[in-house]
Amino acid sequence: MSSARTDDDTWDISTSVGSTAVMVAAARAAESRRDDALIRDPYAKILIADAGTGVWELMLDDGFLDTVAASDPEVAAMFENMNNYQAVRTHFFDAFFTEAVDAGIRQVVILASGLDSRAFRLPWPSGTTVYELDQPKVLDYKAKTLAAHQVEPSADRRAVPIDLRQDWPAALRSAGFDPAQPTAWLAEGLLMYLPSEAQDLLFERVTELSAPGSRVAAESMGVHADDRRERMRERFAKITAQFDVQPMDISELTYEDPDRAEVADWLGAHGWRAHAIPSQDEMRRLNRYVELEDSDNESFSTFTTAERL
């Protein structure tokens, strides 16, 4: 159960769940500078420049990992793994969209889009509409920031400012969404911030709005062991104190419900053909997994893709 959430909480880009979008964008910016980058996001650094990134801007410091390693090599390895994970995750879901549009899908919905830049950086085919759903202040920040840098979307981008705990299907339809057309849906960096019953409702609504041939992709997190989480909290606190930045404990924002449905199982029982892959398997496939001494495999995420039958 989350310790910092309420049923009606809201946020902007620098607070609560909104600030995690800055973390993800910072990781994309750092990845984009690598010679062997898995993804290239020319807009990530623009999006975080004025977002009050705090600890996350350390990802862009070339000497950060070396400094951390001198104090705690295991934490340095964890930071490296975290950066690699974000790159692998982005790469995986980029490929999902590429396959979807190659199959003829021209309607895309990104749930809790945060600072996602796919509507701007991916080469969408002509006629593609990308709907982005998120908190109004988050979408407003992204739109104004990119517009200030003359960044234009590469598809027909339609922002739908709404809390996903509200009647977002009605808002999506009002924005022009056509449930009779196949859709590619993405729930990336979202499900862990929902209670289990809200996750079920989300996929019920996605299913109701999905014509045959629609596709969905989702990231779901495992349950973290309490003792390891406490150890990591203490170690990260020492590092952030060393760099004089405010630490963030993402676990305070998430819901770790032990009875949460496995996404692939739920989808398979509700008219979808689903496939799931452990994220660490994908990281190893791309040579981006760092072995840790203090590891908890149960806490790793799963990438699920599915097609509506």
Side-chain angles (χ1 to χ4, degrees):
M1 182 68 178
S2 169
S3 61
R5 302 290 308 284
T6 62
D7 291 340
D8 59 352
D9 56 342
T10 61
W11 50 84
D12 58 19
I13 202 62
S14 63
T15 60
S16 186
V17 177
S19 60
T20 66
V22 182
M23 172 198 72
V24 175
R28 295 200 309 269
E31 176 67 18
S32 298
R33 301 190 309 179
R34 292 177 56 138
D35 292 336
D36 61 345
L38 294 175
I39 59 104
R40 299 287 181 186
D41 186 344
Y43 311 121
K45 191 172 182 179
I46 293 172
L47 287 167
I48 67 172
D50 298 315
T53 56
V55 66
W56 308 124
E57 65 189 359
L58 294 175
M59 293 180 178
L60 302 180
D61 182 347
D62 292 333
F64 172 63
L65 285 181
D66 290 339
T67 303
V68 173
S71 299
D72 192 329
E74 182 75 354
V75 169
M78 292 176 65
F79 270 113
E80 183 179 0
N81 231 10
M82 182 174 67
N83 289 349
N84 286 344
Y85 171 78
Q86 296 294 341
V88 169
R89 182 180 80 167
T90 302
H91 180 270
F92 183 90
F93 292 124
D94 281 1
F96 163 77
F97 279 131
T98 297
E99 293 171 6
V101 296
D102 284 350
I105 293 176
R106 295 294 181 267
Q107 189 165 245
V108 171
V109 179
I110 303 177
L111 300 163
S113 58
L115 296 182
D116 188 299
S117 64
R118 292 184 175 96
F120 300 85
R121 65 178 178 81
L122 292 187
W124 300 103
S126 176
T128 302
T129 302
V130 178
Y131 296 90
E132 293 190 356
L133 281 66
D134 212 319
Q135 293 272 344
K137 291 180 179 179
V138 173
L139 290 177
D140 184 62
Y141 169 84
K142 178 163 62 176
K144 289 181 177 178
T145 300
L146 292 178
H149 289 80
Q150 292 79 51
V151 177
E152 297 290 339
S154 52
D156 177 6
R157 174 184 176 268
R158 302 186 188 182
V160 184
I162 191 167
D163 190 307
L164 289 175
R165 293 165 294 190
Q166 299 170 354
D167 188 3
W168 61 265
L172 185 60
R173 288 173 182 266
S174 295
F177 177 84
D178 182 1
Q181 299 298 317
T183 304
W185 303 84
L186 178 61
E188 177 189 31
L190 166 60
L191 301 183
M192 68 284 286
Y193 302 111
L194 298 176
S196 59
E197 62 273 14
Q199 174 180 306
D200 291 347
L201 177 59
L202 180 84
F203 284 119
E204 287 171 13
R205 288 172 164 176
V206 167
T207 299
E208 291 170 359
L209 293 169
S210 293
S214 293
R215 301 186 182 194
V216 64
E219 170 201 28
S220 55
M221 302 299 295
V223 176
H224 295 72
D226 289 340
D227 57 343
R228 183 176 184 274
R229 183 167 53 195
E230 184 57 34
R231 292 195 303 273
M232 293 305 102
R233 182 184 291 115
E234 293 174 356
R235 294 172 82 166
F236 278 118
K238 291 179 181 178
I239 295 299
T240 53
Q242 179 180 345
F243 286 88
D244 194 27
V245 294
Q246 185 67 30
M248 173 186 289
D249 186 355
I250 293 178
S251 66
E252 293 182 352
L253 303 174
T254 61
Y255 295 84
E256 294 206 6
D257 297 335
D259 297 326
R260 184 188 297 270
E262 293 289 342
V263 175
D265 292 343
W266 192 99
L267 291 171
H270 291 81
W272 298 79
R273 182 190 301 111
H275 174 72
I277 177 173
S279 61
Q280 60 266 49
D281 288 358
E282 186 69 359
M283 292 175 73
R284 290 188 175 100
R285 185 182 75 82
L286 295 172
N287 297 316
R288 286 300 191 90
Y289 186 76
V290 179
E291 296 293 344
L292 302 173
E293 295 179 6
D294 189 357
S295 182
D296 178 10
N297 285 329
E298 295 302 317
S299 70
F300 270 85
S301 69
T302 300
F303 300 151
T304 300
T305 56
E307 182 174 1
R308 187 81 165 100
L309 301 176

